[in-house]
Amino acid sequence: MTDRYIPEHRRTNFKAKNTFKPDELRRRREEQQVEIRKAKREENLAKRRGLRVGADAPGASLGAAPESDDEAVIIEAQVRRSLLHRISAMQISNTVSAR
């Protein structure tokens, strides 16, 4: 780089130099890292619980299921339970008739 004279006020104002304090920047970074870790943890818990997680889902950052699908989830659970009940009833009846 060339050794030409640059006035002090130009050097200090270049790209908003010294407008952000290092402590303030560090605090912001730490807060963002905590938020990212919490979101990641909630996402992993939601995956374990079998909940759908998406950016468009309300409460996705909290790991909650979308409100619009609550009824569909309940109906689907009822259908699965009745199907499992029928399968187990058929297995029991087949076992009893085989004896």
Side-chain angles (χ1 to χ4, degrees), residues 64-98:
E67 294 177 13
S68 61
D69 289 342
D70 284 344
E71 292 179 22
V73 170
I74 292 171
I75 292 171
E76 184 178 346
Q78 290 173 347
V79 168
R80 287 183 181 182
R81 285 184 194 140
S82 65
L83 182 62
L84 288 173
H85 178 70
R86 283 189 223 140
I87 290 172
S88 63
M90 287 189 317
Q91 289 174 345
I92 292 171
S93 65
N94 289 342
T95 304
V96 170
S97 65

Side-chain angles (χ1 to χ4, degrees), residues 2 4-5 9-10 17 20 23 31 36 38 55 58 60 63 65 71 78-79 81 91 93 95:
T2 62
R4 58 184 183 169
Y5 174 73
H9 73 279
R10 301 279 309 251
K17 191 173 183 178
F20 297 108
D23 294 336
E31 286 177 0
I36 290 170
K38 283 183 182 179
E71 292 179 22
Q78 290 173 347
V79 168
R81 285 184 194 140
Q91 289 174 345
S93 65
T95 304

